[in-house]
Amino acid sequence: MTNLKDNDGDGTKLHVAMLPWLAFGHMVPYFELSKLIAQKGHTVSFISTPRNIDRLLPRLPKNLSSAINFVRLPLPVVGDNKLPEDGEATTDVPFELISYLKIAFDGLKSPVTEFLESSKPDWVLQDFAAYWLPPISRRLGIKTGFLSAFNGATLGILKPPGFEEYRTCPAGFMKPPKWVPFETPVAFKLFECRYIFHGFMAETTEGNVPDIHRVGGVIDGCDAIFVRSCYEYEAEWLGMIQDLHRKPVIPVGVLPPKPEEKFEDTDTWLTVKKWLDSRKTKSVVYVAFGSEAKPSQTELNAIALGLELSGLPFFWVLKTRRGPWDTEPVELPEGFEERTADRGMVWRGWVEQLRTLSHASIGLVLTHPGWGTVIEAIRFAKPMAMLVFVYDQGLNARVIEQKKIGYMIPRDETEGFFTKESVAKSLKLVMEEEEGKVYRENVKEMKGVFGDMDRQDRYVDSFLDYLVAHR
């Protein structure tokens, strides 16, 4: 393991530039890894837009502020102001305008190039979107790593070696692709793959480059692939990606959250904690669908009425709209809060998710299986009941189902419909029934991997050893 103390001048101190895609599911793991790199004695330049950096800054410990340099690049204007004011991340922008956010991101090519020319980092770690960056890095003599916020299974399913004979219709995503050499259930349902097909393969907006070409350009042009994952979770996928692309694939660990960092006891948290403290251990369903996914009104009704039907206590962080531009807010069924007031709390503001998840009363998480959310749930040994909405969530769900650490709420596979009865039955199965014991036990076992900070730290050390040796 590299000794990184007192390392000035001996060739082991690195300068790493980070360029994540403009989504918090990407920026946050990039930022968490930046902090770990800085803690090991290296310097990081974190490149993003001013508003995104301002939103990340409260997460920066004071002792690391001199080791992480924030490079604020204003987001270029697209067309006749296609993006909302302050629309600098996917959570700020309607789904149908995200392709314009990618076009705006591509407009950062010149300022990113100027920064790299002047600062000459040892490595630039980049996300899938900046397909234009590898040739620039190579010209400047800077090593390029693709740091994937997706896990190995998602990378292995979505990105083929080159583009030849790629799947040409949604049905092509409903079975594992032919380049996967082992048996696996990891594929999309029809209702899931429609979104991925249009978002991943299609141009969607004139002037935008489809994601498949972005990922292809980055993987083909990078020197190494770094994945937010670990061998204990998906060794076969990580090995397959390395065989597929014939370049080093190195897991950086799952970058688990560290709730032991000191928190202030805000009025919000004290209110939430008082309610959670009043509940029995492992009795409460924690309901949250993150900043990206917004259930439709029909889906929200089924979730709410399913919670009511289950009879289980619940704490629901409810988001009724995706942003100020969202003109179709969803509403809870009439009378729902009154009818469930004795056992449920609906919270309409922001909460400290890590502290809430880590509370002893939480016994189950009803959520989407985005990779960051999955890591947090496993980190605190909370089994999941899952509803897929967007992106790679369906692929994550298949792996979680296979490992029996979470349960997919049954849905119509063509349209994605689900009922209040299926919600209620799924929650009770995972939380209480003998049949669901396997989920409760397996997630405890996987916590022994995701929550083992020493083990995860060794992944970061190995990753840094690689950067030092191959810069």
Side-chain angles (χ1 to χ4, degrees), residues 83-112:
L83 296 173
E85 189 178 350
D86 293 332
E88 296 183 16
T90 54
T91 189
D92 307 325
V93 175
F95 280 123
E96 63 272 16
L97 295 184
I98 285 176
S99 53
Y100 288 106
L101 189 65
K102 287 174 183 161
I103 295 169
F105 182 77
D106 291 340
L108 297 176
K109 179 178 177 178
S110 290
V112 167

Side-chain angles (χ1 to χ4, degrees), residues 322-375:
R322 283 193 71 238
W325 37 262
D326 186 348
T327 56
E328 297 179 359
V330 290
E331 299 294 341
L332 290 170
E334 192 173 345
F336 168 78
E337 287 183 84
E338 293 77 11
R339 296 192 301 271
T340 58
D342 60 329
R343 60 183 169 84
M345 176 181 266
V346 177
W347 191 270
R348 286 176 169 80
W350 181 82
V351 295
E352 294 173 71
Q353 176 151 303
L354 298 186
R355 289 181 98 178
T356 308
L357 267 179
S358 64
H359 196 281
S361 69
I362 303 295
L364 168 67
V365 185
L366 171 56
T367 188
H368 65 78
W371 185 220
T373 300
V374 169
I375 289 167

Side-chain angles (χ1 to χ4, degrees), residues 45 52 73 90 92 115 137 140 165 191 200 204 214 233 251 282 308 329 364 373 411 417 423 470:
S45 292
N52 288 330
L73 301 181
T90 54
D92 307 325
F115 170 76
S137 304
L140 297 173
E165 297 181 46
F191 76 91
F200 194 67
T204 64
R214 292 179 183 273
Y233 187 75
K282 295 183 180 176
E308 183 176 353
L364 168 67
T373 300
R411 300 172 77 160
F417 298 132
V423 172
H470 295 86

Side-chain angles (χ1 to χ4, degrees), residues 84 89 151 163 169 235 278 285:
N151 57 27
F163 302 117
C169 65
S278 72
V285 180

